[in-house]
DNA sequence: CAAACACGATAGTAATACTACTAGATTTGT
DNA sequence: ACAAATCTAGTAGTATTACTATCGTGTTTG
C-alpha cells in the first residue's frame, strides 16, 4: 500500500450504504469478498446468498449494510473513483506543463494495480478489473436520476471536471472538454475489455498502446 | 418505413433465438412489445412474465422463442446493428471523398429515427433509445466469449471494420483505426445517455453538437 | 384420413431478492 | 453496579423470478 495513503480513509457517499462497512469487521469482509466474488462470477451471477456463504455470514446481515446488490456494486465502484481522484490530484498538482499533466492524468487512469496490491482489506488489482467489467451497470439503470440527485456520481463527475479544466486552461476555446474527457474515461476501460474479449474491435492490445492512443487523441483534438 | 427496405428481411444470427420470431405473429409481438417494455421499465425490471401478460400470452410461449431475457435483448440489439449496417453501406458506398464518407457514416450512427417510425412491427425510435440505454449489457456478461464464438457480435464488428477501412484507405499509417471507431460507436450512444441523465459529463447536448464533436475528433486524429 | 408434428397453455420447481422477527451482546444512565 | 436501552447478527419466513415438464388442440402431410 502506498505510504501516502495509510492515513487516509475513503469516505463513500452515505446514501449508498445503510451502515458504513468500514465500521466493522463484517462490513470489511463484505466489501473485500464481494470484489472477489463479483469479479469471479460476474455481477449477474453474483448473489447476496453466495456472498454470505463465502464469508460465513447470512443474507440479512449483509442487507443491514447494503439495501441491495446494486448498491453494493455502486459502493465498490465509487470507492475506486474516490481512490483514483486522490491519485490523480496528488500526481498532477505539481505539474504545470499541459502535455505532461494530461499524460500523467491518462497514465493514472490506465494504470492497473499489481496483483495482490491492496489498500486496507481491498484488493486494488481485482477492483480495477471489476471497474472495467462492470462500471456501466452502476449508472445504466432506471434509478440513475434518483441516485444522481443523491450525489452518488459526484466524484466521477469531479474527476471528469478536473481533467476538463486542464484542457480548458490550455485551450479556452475548445468546445467539448467534458465530452472528450468522459469519452476517454469510458474508453480506457472499455478498450481493455475489448482487448480481452472482443479483440477485433481494437488495435491497441497493450496498456502502453492504449495510453499512446488516448494521449495523442486528446492532444490532437484540442 | 423506407421504401428501399420493404423487401429486405433482417436475419439475426440463429444462435440467438430458439425459434425465429419473424416466423409467426406471436414472435413478432414478442419482439415489438419487448422493445416497448424494456424501454419503459429498464432491462433489470423487465421480466418475461410482464411481457407475456402485456401481449396476452404466457411465459412458456415466449421461452420457446428465446432461451432467456438476455438472449431477447441480444436479438433486439443485433437487429438494430444489422439494420444500421444496411443504412451505412447504402448511404456511404457511392461517396468517394473521405471526409464526406466519414461524415455520412457518423451521421448514420447518430441519426435517431422519428417517433413512430417503424420497420415492419419494430418501432425504430424506441429501438434506438433501447440501444443507447442497454447496449453494453449485451456483451458485458460472463457469457461474452461463448457468444462471441457463436458469431453473435459479427455484425457489430463488421460495422466497426467498415468504418475502420475508410480510415485506413485515407491514412494507411494510422495505427488505431478499430480502437478509434469502436470508441466513437460507444461514445455516440453513451454521450446521448449522459446528455439525458448525467449532463455534467458532457458539453455536446444536441445531436448536432455530438456529430460535430465526433467528426472533428476523427478528422483530427488520423 | 390418420399419424406426425407444431403450437400455445397449464402447472409446476428451484433459486433469488428481500423482510419480519428473535435472541444475544454491548452500551448507557442513574 | 446493574437494569434499561440499543445495537448486532441470526432464523425463518414470503413474493417474485427464471425456467421446465407436460398436456391438449389444431394443422400438415404421407
Amino acid at each position: 500500500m502506498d505510504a501516502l495513503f495509510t492515513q487516509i480513509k475513503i469516505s463513500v457517499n452515505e446514501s449508498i450504504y445503510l451502515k458504513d462497512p468500514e465500521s466493522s469487521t463484517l462490513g470489511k469482509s463484505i466489501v473485500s469478498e464481494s470484489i472477489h466474488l463479483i469479479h469471479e462470477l460476474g455481477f449477474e451471477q453474483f448473489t447476496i446468498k453466495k456472498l454470505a456463504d463465502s464469508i460465513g455470514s447470512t443474507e440479512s446481515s449483509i442487507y443491514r449494510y447494503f439495501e441491495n446488490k446494486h448498491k453494493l456494486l455502486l459502493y465498490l465502484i465509487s470507492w475506486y473513483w474516490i481512490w483514483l481522484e486522490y491519485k490523480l490530484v496528488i500526481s498532477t498538482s505539481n505539474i504545470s506543463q499541459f502535455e505532461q499533466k494530461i499524460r500523467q492524468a491518462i497514465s493514472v487512469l490506465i494504470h492497473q494495480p499489481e496483483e495482490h496490491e491492496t489498500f486496507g482489506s481491498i484488493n486494488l488489482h481485482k477492483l480495477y478489473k471489476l471497474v472495467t467489467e462492470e462500471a456501466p451497470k452502476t449508472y445504466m439503470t432506471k434509478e440513475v436520476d434518483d441516485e444522481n440527485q443523491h450525489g452518488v456520481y459526484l466524484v466521477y463527475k469531479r474527476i471528469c471536471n478536473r481533467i476538463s479544466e486542464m484542457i480548458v486552461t490550455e485551450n479556452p476555446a475548445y468546445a467539448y472538454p467534458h465530452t472528450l474527457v468522459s469519452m476517454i474515461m469510458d474508453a480506457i476501460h472499455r478498450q481493455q475489455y475489448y482487448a480481452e474479449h472482443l479483440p477485433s474491435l481494437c488495435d491497441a492490445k497493450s496498456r502502453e498502446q492504449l495510453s499512446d492512443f488516448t494521449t495523442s487523441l486528446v492532444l490532437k483534438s484540442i
Side-chain angles (χ1 to χ4, degrees), chain A:
Chain A
M1 194 194 307
D2 193 320
L4 233 138
F5 296 139
T6 50
Q7 306 288 339
I8 292 167
K9 183 182 180 293
I10 303 279
S11 295
V12 171
N13 185 312
E14 289 185 15
S15 76
I16 295 178
Y17 53 78
L18 297 170
K19 178 188 153 102
D20 185 0
E22 291 285 313
S23 70
S24 72
T25 39
L26 178 63
K28 283 173 198 154
S29 55
I30 289 171
V31 169
S32 63
E33 187 63 18
S34 63
I35 292 170
H36 178 75
L37 264 184
I38 295 173
H39 170 58
E40 188 178 300
L41 305 171
F43 186 63
E44 286 71 29
Q45 302 308 313
F46 166 82
T47 72
I48 301 291
K49 178 74 162 58
K50 286 172 186 168
L51 175 59
D53 287 349
S54 73
I55 59 176
S57 183
T58 60
E59 288 171 86
S60 69
S61 298
I62 293 164
Y63 279 114
R64 193 156 302 100
Y65 289 84
F66 297 99
E67 219 179 311
N68 50 50
K69 73 172 185 169
H70 177 252
K71 287 277 172 76
L72 174 52
L73 180 67
L74 207 50
Y75 180 91
L76 300 175
I77 290 180
S78 295
W79 194 100
Y80 172 78
W81 291 114
I82 294 169
W83 178 78
L84 190 108
E85 192 187 20
Y86 274 110
K87 288 200 66 166
L88 181 73
V89 170
I90 287 164
S91 69
T92 60
S93 61
N94 61 339
I95 303 174
S96 52
Q97 205 246 327
F98 170 70
E99 188 177 326
Q100 270 196 314
K101 218 175 167 93
I102 275 289
R103 276 184 194 283
Q104 181 60 33
I106 290 170
S107 146
V108 169
L109 283 168
I110 290 185
H111 177 73
Q112 179 175 30
E114 301 297 318
E115 214 168 336
H116 308 306
E117 200 177 330
T118 54
F119 182 107
S121 53
I122 288 180
N123 183 319
L124 293 168
H125 178 80
K126 279 184 186 163
L127 182 57
Y128 185 86
K129 295 213 102 183
L130 196 125
V131 171
T132 78
E133 287 159 356
E134 316 287 355
K137 294 172 193 169
T138 55
Y139 55 83
M140 300 193 81
T141 71
K142 281 289 162 187
E143 292 79 39
V144 60
D145 300 326
D146 217 59
E147 288 172 351
N148 187 32
Q149 238 171 356
H150 283 89
V152 163
Y153 306 112
L154 270 175
V155 177
Y156 190 80
K157 294 191 280 190
R158 204 164 57 213
I159 293 170
C160 176
N161 214 44
R162 284 182 191 280
I163 305 175
S164 299
E165 266 165 25
M166 297 178 193
I167 291 170
V168 172
T169 305
E170 175 69 9
N171 176 11
Y174 184 65
Y176 306 113
H178 295 86
T179 301
L180 180 64
V181 172
S182 64
M183 183 187 72
I184 68 160
M185 284 174 73
D186 277 340
I188 279 169
H189 289 281
R190 187 61 45 83
Q191 291 294 325
Q192 290 183 67
Y193 185 84
Y194 288 159
E196 198 169 335
H197 299 288
L198 301 163
S200 56
L201 289 174
C202 62
D203 318 277
K205 307 299 184 191
S206 69
R207 232 160 260 127
E208 288 69 37
Q209 288 176 305
L210 183 58
S211 179
D212 175 43
F213 165 79
T214 315
T215 310
S216 68
L217 186 88
V218 173
L219 296 178
K220 284 178 188 167
S221 292
I222 66 157

